Amino acid sequence: MRTHEAGSLRAGHAGQSVTLAGWVARRRDHGGVIFIDLRDASGVAQVVFREGEMAERAHRLRAEFCVRITGDVVRRPEGNENAEIGTGEIEVYATELEVLSEAAPLPFPLDEHLEVGEEIRLKHRYLDLRRAGPAKIMRLRSDVNRVAREVLHERDFVEIETPTMTRSTPEGARDFLVPARLQPGSWYALPQSPQLFKQLLMVGGMERYFQIARCYRDEDFRADRQPEFTQLDVEMSFVEQDDVIELGEQIIAGLWKLIGHEITTPIPRITYADAMARYGSDKPDLRFGLELTELTEYFADTPFRVFRAPYVGAVVMPGGASQPRRQLDAWQDWAKQRGAKGLAYVLVGEDGTLSGPVAKNLSDAEREGLVKAVGATTGDCVFFAAGERAPSRGLLGAARLEIGERCGLIDHDAWSFVWVVDAPMFESIADSDDVAVGTGRWTAVHHPFTAPNADWADTFDQDPENALAWAYDIVCNGNEIGGGSIRVHRGDVQERVFSVLGISEEQAREKFGFLLDAFKFGAPPHGGIAFGWDRICMLLAGADSLREVIAFPKSGGGFDPLTSAPAPITDAQRKEAGVDAKPEVKPKDPVPTEKLTEQQS
Amino acid sequence: MRTHEAGSLRAGHAGQSVTLAGWVARRRDHGGVIFIDLRDASGVAQVVFREGEMAERAHRLRAEFCVRITGDVVRRPEGNENAEIGTGEIEVYATELEVLSEAAPLPFPLDEHLEVGEEIRLKHRYLDLRRAGPAKIMRLRSDVNRVAREVLHERDFVEIETPTMTRSTPEGARDFLVPARLQPGSWYALPQSPQLFKQLLMVGGMERYFQIARCYRDEDFRADRQPEFTQLDVEMSFVEQDDVIELGEQIIAGLWKLIGHEITTPIPRITYADAMARYGSDKPDLRFGLELTELTEYFADTPFRVFRAPYVGAVVMPGGASQPRRQLDAWQDWAKQRGAKGLAYVLVGEDGTLSGPVAKNLSDAEREGLVKAVGATTGDCVFFAAGERAPSRGLLGAARLEIGERCGLIDHDAWSFVWVVDAPMFESIADSDDVAVGTGRWTAVHHPFTAPNADWADTFDQDPENALAWAYDIVCNGNEIGGGSIRVHRGDVQERVFSVLGISEEQAREKFGFLLDAFKFGAPPHGGIAFGWDRICMLLAGADSLREVIAFPKSGGGFDPLTSAPAPITDAQRKEAGVDAKPEVKPKDPVPTEKLTEQQS
């Protein structure tokens, strides 16, 4: 249907007759001569309809008409070359024109430099994708898949597809459910991740598994969450943490090479404890310093009651002393929005004197040593958090990021990767923010199949608060882009973990009996990782939202503006699907819900 | 955790100390010396625990214990080599043994030569996959994916993931439905194929799309159907039928090369009309001849009332005249099971005389010329079908396959590929066996977006019965393994197709208004194909069932013996998911249901 792709034409083609097919990107009329930019997937070429019949016919062309053109490639007159496009040295003198299909007036212009509302773009995503930016992202994502698979195939990984219609196993998030017409009253669930299946594959001796897997989570859609998302899911047998990390680095390095960035391996590691202490986050953005300072000891005997707390810490805002009052007030609002009471601060004057409401509450000695203790200098503002350790550090960590942005400390062209290792196995249920209440005091930080590390293999259940896991997350510029763990592969260890979590044997059977059964038959040591594919694509594309890297994303509330899904169903559909059937089973005692899977969205 | 993979050891490793990890495949005790076959994903190596402490410890090893072993590689004594395994020249004298995890007694032995019931294999699929056969199939399937993607990436195809949670568009089969918690009363549907999305991507200028896509169809599970299945889905813009076929051949050739078979391209083509006339099937098995003969003319003036029919045809069973009476009766039962009244036959005696109940009803002339007319010879049996053309040919086509098997005419090592082209656009609703009734007399054979071919572009709606489409199926050994079409890309043509199908403008809008909207904006000519991935893997693996090539298949009724999905949900889940919400909308007039997609399962 065409002899050449439009974007492929070069000076060397001059003198040839070519047939092109594509869309009218622009049309210009210069004294009866019609110029169009003909766009196809490969690029753009300028087509000229000189005066006479061809120009007549070209008059009816409008933006986004789909056309086929035959013409002669000629070099553009000297001085008329366009160095900005690959085909800028030539143009095509049209000798034939066929309109393949016409286009109605567009709901929005496709000029890539124009801002267009997201809702209308998604409703007409088929037009949005004709724009250079979105089209390029789709191609990048395809390359991301290709490169990751190349790395994995080179290492003999086996790609295995796991089921989409599976069993509901209550987890951190709600399952999407599917009624089973042939067993009315029974429902399938869409998987929150292939976690259980990939572990079963390891028991099955597959040794090296991967899948670019669709996952589903029925959450209240926060700013940038999709009900369905994609992760690169990997599992390996006979490995230790370092093996999984090494593989993860090969994958990540391959991906960033796609955008011309060489990642130096090994990627640095930081312990979870360190990350929390120094950056107030388990996903620290290391593109800039500005570490937190712990002052609990420093204020051990302070007269200031607020600072007599289990934890006191500080972060410095360089030059922050010159903030006007209303900006300091805005910080208080910012902190309150995050659930804190406020954000205490001290301003360091140009002469070194401290001011602000907190300063006068401190002792002379405390005032004297403070600047040095927190590493501040004249003109800075020192923000404090005091209270329970975890939320206080969280507040300071968030303040750190905010300061980084406001003070321009973040190099937006930089890429900073770090592995966060030695995560705790358990956290107190009171501190967990995404898990339903179980019957124990503790919940699994990663998931209940995560193994204690070598130091804690014997003692994790004696000191759950401090026990560390073989769990690892990879963080890029403050975004968690992947995470995994070495799994428990022995029944006795698994029972001890369940015991800490307050999961009875019966409850364990009810929830994942088939996995426990499998583990009775010579389960190999294994571990894995899952990468948040949408987020990684978003970072690589420099996009602002996960929606930009998904071909047909949902907008808020899980609504698809293009197809108008979800939609009402008919009574006949309800009846046939067996939606209303309720089997006569007694509800069981509530079973504690745990995060069973590693999920990356 | 190991220095070598067990299956990689060769004579050249002799003298090295190695650490292996894997499973105890077999254990033998020869006078106090313990031999085990240690199996990992790479293969098997023989490990020897000589007398003394090591042999003591090895005594507790049982089948499928997961172990780590360190030992010295030694050449086997001359005469003790095992040529059947790659590691047959060596064995490993164990110096260390670590039991990584124990195995309970197995529910079935893993010996690959033993037949084990499917239900128990699927319930313990993690054990089944340790057997050589199933494990090899999983690896083959992974390679199938890899090779297809390589072919497509080389040709600049873009891999794009389309949504799983989308809009219910009633099609040939029922949708699986998912309640939308955030919009109670509204439901998502799981896609029966990405058909509409891939066409939208073409409108979006992506030009070359592919995806190995999961598809869902809530059918009554026939023998070998899965509720979720996989297809390789492809769509291209600015192409004609030959372009899609050429690409399809590259993919198929690449896949069969994986099992050492070179496909000669171009693959032959047969028209749909020819396939029906000569083989009584739209997916003819061309590994053998035995074509049908049409005898409608021949019997135009027959005295035998049964043969005065719109169609009479015959197929010959070589040597079939010697079938005992009860076998001839069995053919009648066979035909009745297929919904026919019976299967008329004539036996050709060794002296050329015809016998059997039909023979005496024929005229002398008819008897005289029959053997020549059907290409039979002495000793053959001639089977007849008379009646409406389509079912009669279908019966003869089925008889042909049955004869091919019974008479050993099929070379089971042969691969025979053929494209079936020039399919009709429409079929009478009365003849369609998989589409709900619409309001028109006609239904689309492929789907309503399939374009008429060049000969019928102007006239398809004047003569729907005979109109031919640009639609093509690829058939391998009598299995349809892929199919596709060139699509309608112009609104006026689409309206004429809808008009033939009896779909009103309002109904069309209701069902796929978003696609029709998209087509208003310069839709390019496009077409595509979908390959039935499970079936292709089954053929390549030489497996008997689709279940063999799926990691975790469903058994009958959509039940998963491993996880026991589907399962009852709790009242709380029902309530939260909004299952019982019914929006107050008036049911619309029934809308004709059409096959909207190309599906390959």
Side-chain angles (χ1 to χ4, degrees), chain B residues 296-365:
Chain B
T296 318
E297 278 300 310
Y298 187 85
F299 287 118
D301 304 313
T302 185
F304 185 36
R305 211 162 46 89
V306 174
F307 282 7
R308 288 206 296 269
Y311 171 87
V312 186
V315 65
V316 172
M317 180 176 185
S322 57
Q323 293 179 94
R325 179 60 195 246
R326 65 162 193 290
Q327 218 163 312
L328 289 163
D329 289 346
W331 275 108
Q332 306 311 309
D333 295 339
W334 173 89
K336 282 172 189 159
Q337 274 174 3
R338 299 187 44 89
K341 284 184 190 145
L343 192 64
Y345 61 89
V346 161
L347 308 175
V348 186
E350 289 303 329
D351 60 355
T353 57
L354 306 187
S355 61
V358 167
K360 62 178 180 297
N361 289 300
L362 306 182
S363 72
D364 291 346

Side-chain angles (χ1 to χ4, degrees), chain B residues 373-427:
Chain B
V374 300
T377 183
T378 53
D380 290 352
C381 170
V382 185
F383 288 117
F384 299 90
E388 291 298 324
R389 184 171 297 263
S392 303
R393 281 176 169 173
L395 182 65
L396 291 174
R400 171 181 175 269
L401 292 180
E402 195 68 26
I403 294 166
E405 282 295 351
R406 292 198 197 179
C407 298
L409 304 179
I410 300 177
D411 174 358
H412 286 282
D413 292 329
W415 293 109
S416 168
F417 295 87
V418 64
W419 289 100
V420 179
V421 298
D422 288 348
M425 283 189 79
F426 306 105
E427 62 182 334

Side-chain angles (χ1 to χ4, degrees), chain A residues 335-486:
Chain A
K336 283 172 189 159
Q337 275 174 4
R338 298 186 44 89
K341 285 184 191 146
L343 192 65
Y345 62 88
V346 160
L347 307 175
V348 186
E350 288 303 327
D351 59 355
T353 57
L354 306 186
S355 62
V358 167
K360 63 178 179 296
N361 289 301
L362 306 182
S363 71
D364 290 348
E366 284 164 356
R367 273 199 298 273
E368 185 127 339
L370 185 65
V371 165
K372 192 171 168 216
V374 300
T377 183
T378 53
D380 289 352
C381 170
V382 184
F383 288 116
F384 299 90
E388 291 300 324
R389 183 171 298 263
S392 302
R393 280 176 169 172
L395 182 65
L396 290 175
R400 172 183 173 267
L401 291 179
E402 194 68 27
I403 294 166
E405 281 296 352
R406 292 199 197 178
C407 297
L409 304 179
I410 300 176
D411 174 359
H412 285 282
D413 293 328
W415 292 109
S416 167
F417 295 86
V418 65
W419 289 99
V420 178
V421 297
D422 288 349
M425 283 190 79
F426 307 104
E427 62 182 333
S428 163
I429 281 175
D431 293 340
S432 171
D433 60 3
D434 62 349
V435 167
V437 174
T439 61
R441 259 192 66 203
W442 301 101
T443 181
V445 168
H446 203 74
H447 58 60
F449 307 113
T450 298
N453 74 15
D455 295 338
W456 289 89
D458 294 330
T459 54
F460 69 87
D461 43 352
Q462 292 154 36
D463 186 6
E465 182 161 13
N466 292 307
L468 299 180
W470 262 325
Y472 30 86
D473 286 339
I474 181 161
V475 173
C476 169
N477 291 0
N479 300 278
E480 185 193 323
I481 58 172
S485 67
I486 299 298

Side-chain angles (χ1 to χ4, degrees), chain B residues 200-460:
Chain B
L200 290 171
L201 289 170
M202 293 304 104
V203 179
M206 298 311 299
E207 291 194 17
R208 295 183 203 85
Y209 145 92
F210 83 94
Q211 181 181 201
I212 296 180
R214 199 74 59 86
C215 306
Y216 308 86
R217 201 156 37 175
D218 187 8
E219 287 186 307
D220 291 315
F221 298 97
R222 278 187 261 163
D224 202 15
R225 278 275 169 90
Q226 290 284 317
E228 52 181 309
F229 57 96
T230 301
Q231 68 189 28
L232 171 62
D233 200 47
V234 173
E235 195 79 5
M236 308 163 74
S237 291
F238 305 119
V239 293
E240 289 161 353
Q241 173 171 295
D242 284 351
D243 300 304
V244 183
I245 283 182
E246 191 274 336
L247 174 75
E249 293 184 352
Q250 295 306 313
I251 294 169
I252 292 297
L255 299 188
W256 259 261
K257 206 175 281 177
L258 277 172
I259 57 162
H261 179 74
E262 289 283 338
I263 295 176
T264 309
T265 55
I267 289 170
R269 301 183 193 185
I270 186 173
T271 66
Y272 180 94
D274 245 21
M276 298 307 290
R278 292 164 57 194
Y279 303 100
S281 171
D282 57 359
K283 43 186 180 183
D285 187 341
L286 300 191
R287 285 176 297 178
F288 65 112
L290 214 65
E291 297 188 14
L292 317 190
T293 309
E294 174 158 1
L295 299 169
T296 318
E297 278 300 310
Y298 187 85
F299 287 118
D301 304 313
T302 185
F304 185 36
R305 211 162 46 89
V306 174
F307 282 7
R308 288 206 296 269
Y311 171 87
V312 186
V315 65
V316 172
M317 180 176 185
S322 57
Q323 293 179 94
R325 179 60 195 246
R326 65 162 193 290
Q327 218 163 312
L328 289 163
D329 289 346
W331 275 108
Q332 306 311 309
D333 295 339
W334 173 89
K336 282 172 189 159
Q337 274 174 3
R338 299 187 44 89
K341 284 184 190 145
L343 192 64
Y345 61 89
V346 161
L347 308 175
V348 186
E350 289 303 329
D351 60 355
T353 57
L354 306 187
S355 61
V358 167
K360 62 178 180 297
N361 289 300
L362 306 182
S363 72
D364 291 346
E366 283 165 358
R367 272 197 299 273
E368 185 128 339
L370 186 65
V371 165
K372 190 170 169 218
V374 300
T377 183
T378 53
D380 290 352
C381 170
V382 185
F383 288 117
F384 299 90
E388 291 298 324
R389 184 171 297 263
S392 303
R393 281 176 169 173
L395 182 65
L396 291 174
R400 171 181 175 269
L401 292 180
E402 195 68 26
I403 294 166
E405 282 295 351
R406 292 198 197 179
C407 298
L409 304 179
I410 300 177
D411 174 358
H412 286 282
D413 292 329
W415 293 109
S416 168
F417 295 87
V418 64
W419 289 100
V420 179
V421 298
D422 288 348
M425 283 189 79
F426 306 105
E427 62 182 334
S428 162
I429 281 174
D431 293 339
S432 172
D433 61 2
D434 63 351
V435 167
V437 174
T439 61
R441 258 191 68 205
W442 302 101
T443 181
V445 168
H446 204 75
H447 58 60
F449 307 112
T450 298
N453 75 14
D455 295 338
W456 290 90
D458 294 331
T459 55
F460 69 87

